[in-house]
């Protein structure tokens, strides 16, 4: 099965990853109009980094309380009004009080680290034991308030972060329907791409990607099964890190696949993404796979930031060219830039082998989704206790929950056997074990430091009736299937929309990938602030 067909037919877990431009004209020159409310975007915190925000708090220019209020005003102005990005599904009523506490600690001389007093948004499939709900965007979980923080939320609180609110997402992390529209949920509605508002924000961490891009927060947390962090990073002009499965705990996160699920940071710069990643690492007794990160994880990934990191590196790229001339040109420019920085580029053919595993990956997800969701719901403070309950709720409330696309993926998942079945074990062996063998062999045989390529093409149009229309340009599945780390960094613009460049390698190579992405970022400076254009004309 070709990967594009797999995505089109299965819309996997936020694996809404690859974008075609069938919804655009065949030109790199587009005419757009800008949303009047955002035409003169002079927000005083625009593009400020964590370091810059910290410097301003140290200087007394701002307090954490003031920063929090400014971001809340920003959300009111352009997320709930004006362009109406619709990226934030719920605000934290305790945000200002948390900020005040961080200010009091700062005044008393206690600083918890680089995230002290920094406003952060998190995806609405991550448990918080506060006044906010955790719903995965589903009305079936409306009113569900977790009794315990997710492990990574505890880490963020300990780091001094201000939990500003939760972000919208593709409902059930985009594992509900084969014809879904990324960024839409029955609870939160449709999130918009801040570059061109009638275009898709990708998903499933749509709200987190958009919120960061539009400067609604300093940084945000998303989750990924296949493309759900790196896809919204790419199409929203931000940096996204999908870490090694095991680096960050998944306990307290609504699951899809125990083999592939992980949380990950979204930020406007590689350094900010590195700061957020380090704050969330740690061994969690409630997620056994994190035990594997002992001795491999670090709490400060900024030590890997090196503007000269590309020098002397051997980097592999798929030899086959893209169908779109502008995407080819963008990648050629990226290659030229990396060569200027001293990298050696090796062209090779390997993606066809990995793409052939797409069907097995989808099967694995369906098996694990049923198992994981049933376990999560069984102890959740929610009215639905099984995936079957969710399906029944959706049918009863079809007008609100399924006004256009339905729940074929969820129904297929519910029908799957247990994880002790022969079929599951075969899918696991083919998808997860098989993808690791392919990637390891490519890296070792060619003596590569990493593989790279365009993360995906530019965003397609929002289409809630017929669903997403993604194309052939993508690079999320190799790292997703294998559980390996993957970082996407802004690479340039095509059709007035952002496109990211991906780097991935073997397990626990986050530091090395961050170094490569940072060197590329510093050499190219490709990030462009969104202008909230209304539409293509």
């Amino acid at each position: 099965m070709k990967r594009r067909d797999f995505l089109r037919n299965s819309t996997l877990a936020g694996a809404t990853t690859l974008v075609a431009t069938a919804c655009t004209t065949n030109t790199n020159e587009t005419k757009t109009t800008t949303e009047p409310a955002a035409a003169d975007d002079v927000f005083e915190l625009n593009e400020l980094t964590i370091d810059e925000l910290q410097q301003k708090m140290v200087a007394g220019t701002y307090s954490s309380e003031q920063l929090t209020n400014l971001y809340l005003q920003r959300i009111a102005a352009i997320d709930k009004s004006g362009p109406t990005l619709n990226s934030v599904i719920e605000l934290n009523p305790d945000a200002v009080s948390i900020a005040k506490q961080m200010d009091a600690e700062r005044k008393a001389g206690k600083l918890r680290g680089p995230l002290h007093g920094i406003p952060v948004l998190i995806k609405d499939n991550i448990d918080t034991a506060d006044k906010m709900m955790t719903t995965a965007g589903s009305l079936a979980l409306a009113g569900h308030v977790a009794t315990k923080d997710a492990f990574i939320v505890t880490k963020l609180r300990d780091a001094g972060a201000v939990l500003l609110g939760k972000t919208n997402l593709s409902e059930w992390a985009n594992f509900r329907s084969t014809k879904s529209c990324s960024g839409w949920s029955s609870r939160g509605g449709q999130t918009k791409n801040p570059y061109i508002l009638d275009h898709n924000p990708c998903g499933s961490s749509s709200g987190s990607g958009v919120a960061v891009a539009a400067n609604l927060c300093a940084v945000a947390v998303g989750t990924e099964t296949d493309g759900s962090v790196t896809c919204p990073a790419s199409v929203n002009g931000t940096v996204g890190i999908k870490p090694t499965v095991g680096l960050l705990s998944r306990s307290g996160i609504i699951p899809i696949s125990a083999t592939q699920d992980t949380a990950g940071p979204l930020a406007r710069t590689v350094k900010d993404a590195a700061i957020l990643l380090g704050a969330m690492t740690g061994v969690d007794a409630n997620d056994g796979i994190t035990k594997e990160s002992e001795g491999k994880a670090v709490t400060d990934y900024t030590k890997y930031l090196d503007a000269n990191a590309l020098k002397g590196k051997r980097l592999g790229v798929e030899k086959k060219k893209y169908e779109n001339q502008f995407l080819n040109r963008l990648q050629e420019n990226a290659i030229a830039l990396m060569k200027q920085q001293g990298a050696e580029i090796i062209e090779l053919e390997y993606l066809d082998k990995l793409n052939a595993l797409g069907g097995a990956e989808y099967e694995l997800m369906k098996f694990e989704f049923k198992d994981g969701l049933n376990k999560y719901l069984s102890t959740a403070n929610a009215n639905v206790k099984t995936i079957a309950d969710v399906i029944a709720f959706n049918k009863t409330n079809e007008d609100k929950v399924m006004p256009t696309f339905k729940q074929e993926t969820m129904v297929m998942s519910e029908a799957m056997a247990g994880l002790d079945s022969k079929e599951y074990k075969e899918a696991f062996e083919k998808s997860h074990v098989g993808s690791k063998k392919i990637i390891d062999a490519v890296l070792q045989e060619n003596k590569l430091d990493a593989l790279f390529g365009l993360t995906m093409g530019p965003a397609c149009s929002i289409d809630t009736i017929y669903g997403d229309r993604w194309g052939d340009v993508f690079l999320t599945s190799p790292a997703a299937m294998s559980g390996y780390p993957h970082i996407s960094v802004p690479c340039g613009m095509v059709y007035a929309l952002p496109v990211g460049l991906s780097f991935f390698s073997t397990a626990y190579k986050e530091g090395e990938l961050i170094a490569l992405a940072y060197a590329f970022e510093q050499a190219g400076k490709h990030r462009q602030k969104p202008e909230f254009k209304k539409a293509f004309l």
Side-chain angles (χ1 to χ4, degrees), residues 282-335:
V283 175
D284 176 14
N286 293 314
D287 186 1
I289 198 170
T290 59
K291 183 74 174 175
E292 297 177 6
S293 71
E294 277 190 316
K296 303 167 187 172
V298 299
T299 57
D300 181 12
Y301 283 95
T302 64
K303 67 181 183 180
Y304 292 98
L305 301 176
D306 178 5
N308 297 310
L310 286 164
K311 187 175 182 179
K313 296 298 188 297
R314 285 175 58 88
L315 305 175
V317 64
E318 173 64 37
K319 185 181 295 185
K320 291 181 180 179
K321 303 303 180 184
Y322 307 124
E323 293 180 4
N324 185 288
Q325 61 175 316
F326 303 117
L327 294 178
N328 281 319
R329 191 177 305 163
L330 194 66
Q331 180 160 292
E332 289 165 4
N333 290 341
I335 289 172

Side-chain angles (χ1 to χ4, degrees), residues 59 86 89 122 222 324:
N86 205 33
I89 201 168
I122 63 173
N324 185 288

Side-chain angles (χ1 to χ4, degrees), residues 191-505:
T191 300
K192 303 173 187 175
N193 189 301
Y195 288 84
I196 302 178
L197 300 175
D198 69 348
H199 274 57
N200 201 296
C202 207
S204 64
S205 303
S206 314
S208 294
V210 170
V212 168
N215 287 275
L216 303 184
C217 58
V219 288
V221 180
T223 65
E224 174 164 327
T225 306
D226 187 327
S228 290
V229 167
T230 47
C231 172
S234 181
V235 306
N236 291 291
T238 62
V239 177
I241 300 176
K242 196 286 290 187
T244 305
V245 174
L247 186 69
L248 304 184
S249 167
R250 289 86 53 83
S251 65
I253 301 177
I254 298 175
I256 290 178
S257 166
T259 300
Q260 297 185 194
D261 285 351
T262 180
L266 286 141
R268 290 179 292 274
T269 67
V270 174
K271 183 174 184 179
D272 281 359
I275 290 171
L276 184 55
L277 178 66
M280 295 188 288
T281 61
V283 175
D284 176 14
N286 293 314
D287 186 1
I289 198 170
T290 59
K291 183 74 174 175
E292 297 177 6
S293 71
E294 277 190 316
K296 303 167 187 172
V298 299
T299 57
D300 181 12
Y301 283 95
T302 64
K303 67 181 183 180
Y304 292 98
L305 301 176
D306 178 5
N308 297 310
L310 286 164
K311 187 175 182 179
K313 296 298 188 297
R314 285 175 58 88
L315 305 175
V317 64
E318 173 64 37
K319 185 181 295 185
K320 291 181 180 179
K321 303 303 180 184
Y322 307 124
E323 293 180 4
N324 185 288
Q325 61 175 316
F326 303 117
L327 294 178
N328 281 319
R329 191 177 305 163
L330 194 66
Q331 180 160 292
E332 289 165 4
N333 290 341
I335 289 172
L337 181 63
M338 288 190 283
K339 286 182 176 179
Q340 289 173 9
Q341 299 300 308
E344 183 180 357
I345 307 301
I346 313 300
E347 290 192 346
L348 41 87
E349 294 184 357
Y350 72 99
L351 282 178
D352 284 348
K353 293 180 181 179
L354 287 164
N355 290 342
L357 306 180
E361 180 191 18
Y362 186 42
E363 290 301 299
L364 174 133
M365 287 184 183
K366 289 187 291 183
F367 277 109
E368 294 187 346
F369 183 49
K370 177 184 179 179
D371 181 76
L373 186 58
N374 280 341
K375 287 177 180 175
Y376 176 91
L377 293 175
S378 69
T379 60
N381 183 27
N383 293 327
V384 288
K385 293 298 181 182
T386 65
I387 188 173
D389 291 345
V390 175
I391 292 169
F393 175 93
N394 292 345
K395 287 180 180 177
T396 301
N397 299 275
E398 187 167 3
D399 288 351
K400 292 180 179 179
V401 179
M402 302 188 294
T404 53
F405 60 86
K406 306 304 177 183
Q407 56 179 345
E408 312 86 63
T409 303
M410 191 164 269
V411 170
M412 287 188 287
S413 297
E414 201 278 331
M416 303 302 280
L419 301 189
D420 57 349
S421 67
K422 176 184 176 183
E423 293 79 10
Y424 168 72
K425 293 174 182 177
E426 288 176 347
F428 179 87
E429 188 71 21
K430 186 173 182 180
S431 174
H432 181 62
V433 178
S435 61
K436 290 173 72 172
K437 288 180 178 177
I438 293 170
I439 294 170
D440 290 350
V442 170
L443 291 168
Q444 292 167 11
E445 291 170 8
N446 295 280
K447 299 180 180 179
L448 302 176
D449 293 288
L451 290 157
F452 77 93
L454 297 184
T455 309
M456 55 194 304
C460 69
S461 299
I462 290 170
D463 190 339
T464 57
I465 297 175
Y466 296 107
D468 294 343
R469 291 173 290 172
W470 307 110
D472 295 323
V473 184
F474 64 91
L475 201 61
T476 67
S477 294
M481 289 187 287
S482 59
Y484 286 166
H486 174 191
I487 183 168
S488 178
V489 61
C491 181
M493 306 286 283
V494 173
Y495 301 107
L497 291 159
V499 173
L501 187 74
S502 286
F503 296 92
F504 67 96
S505 187

